[in-house]
Amino acid sequence: MHYDLLHVTPPHVPAPAVANSSLADAGGWLVVNKETLQHLRYPNVFGIGDCCSLPTGKTAAAAAAQFLVLRDNLDALMAGSLQQDSAAKYDGYTSCPVVTRQGRVMLMEYGYDGAIMEMFSKLGIDQSQEQYLMWLVKTLVLPAAYWALMTKGYVPWRELPRMLQRSLDSRHGQAAAAAAAAQPSQCAAPTAIAAQQQVAAESPVVAAATHEHGC
């Protein structure tokens, strides 16, 4: 076999506790909605991580991104306000740092259907190339972040963009509500309606127009 780079991935098998239960699909994985992470048969069950049937890479980065969605949707479910159209949604984000040689790593970040979701490329770093910086991220930053933050439920590099987006959505909603409140009512005042009715009795044409354009 000839190759330039061989990246070996061990086989993934479901946990027997899940595979042998009614929670699993035919393959033995916890079957959940790929966006809301809610079980497809038991609405009070959610799942994240390697046990799930999600069509994305089974990595710690994926579980961390899923956790934020799980937290928001669990809170909404317990508050009785979970709706499919407004539920938090997981986009399939996962990350795989591939060691190409000593001191060099290619950091791959993608979502569902292979969507590129590179974080460092926004800083001008070409993630399609092996990088010494990515080696430092894998060997120094990620282990420290995993034990100090991720295992305690903190994922700041994923949470900050979500917080900013929620803030923008809230401001847009407030601006739209203020604009709607500032517009004059399209419905005529009661006195105007009475006047229209009086005119309508005298003119069938006006009555038809009033009815057609009424509130």
Side-chain angles (χ1 to χ4, degrees), residues 36-87:
T36 64
L37 308 180
Q38 188 174 28
H39 199 277
L40 296 184
R41 294 191 295 271
Y42 304 102
N44 62 327
V45 175
F46 290 77
I48 61 172
D50 294 0
C51 68
C52 294
S53 60
L54 301 171
T56 190
K58 298 182 182 299
T59 66
Q66 294 159 19
F67 162 75
L68 301 177
V69 175
L70 175 71
R71 180 197 61 194
D72 290 352
N73 288 342
L74 270 178
D75 286 345
L77 179 69
M78 290 187 289
S81 60
L82 181 63
Q83 301 292 333
Q84 289 295 321
D85 56 346
S86 60

Side-chain angles (χ1 to χ4, degrees), residues 174-184:
Q174 293 174 358
Q183 292 180 354

Side-chain angles (χ1 to χ4, degrees), residues 155-175:
V155 195
W157 55 91
R158 290 285 295 177
E159 180 70 357
L160 183 58
R162 286 160 53 88
M163 292 174 60
L164 292 175
Q165 187 60 52
R166 283 197 294 264
S167 177
L168 289 174
D169 291 344
S170 176
R171 291 186 179 184
H172 290 161
Q174 293 174 358

Side-chain angles (χ1 to χ4, degrees), residues 57-196:
K58 298 182 182 299
T59 66
Q66 294 159 19
F67 162 75
L68 301 177
V69 175
L70 175 71
R71 180 197 61 194
D72 290 352
N73 288 342
L74 270 178
D75 286 345
L77 179 69
M78 290 187 289
S81 60
L82 181 63
Q83 301 292 333
Q84 289 295 321
D85 56 346
S86 60
K89 292 180 173 57
Y90 172 55
D91 53 16
Y93 174 83
T94 189
S95 176
C96 181
V98 179
V99 179
T100 56
R101 55 186 166 126
Q102 182 71 21
R104 293 292 184 273
V105 163
M106 289 180 63
L107 182 61
M108 303 177 183
E109 296 178 288
Y110 54 93
Y112 287 140
D113 301 320
I116 302 300
M117 304 181 69
E118 296 175 345
M119 178 173 61
F120 290 93
S121 64
K122 298 175 182 178
L123 303 176
I125 299 173
D126 185 0
Q127 290 186 228
S128 67
Q129 302 297 318
E130 58 180 11
Q131 302 278 353
Y132 176 66
L133 176 61
M134 297 300 102
W135 168 267
L136 296 179
V137 169
K138 174 177 173 54
T139 58
L140 299 178
V141 177
L142 290 181
Y146 179 83
W147 293 110
L149 298 174
M150 294 168 64
T151 56
K152 299 177 182 178
Y154 299 110
V155 195
W157 55 91
R158 290 285 295 177
E159 180 70 357
L160 183 58
R162 286 160 53 88
M163 292 174 60
L164 292 175
Q165 187 60 52
R166 283 197 294 264
S167 177
L168 289 174
D169 291 344
S170 176
R171 291 186 179 184
H172 290 161
Q174 293 174 358
Q183 292 180 354
S185 174
Q186 299 298 319
C187 296
T191 53
I193 293 176
Q196 289 176 350

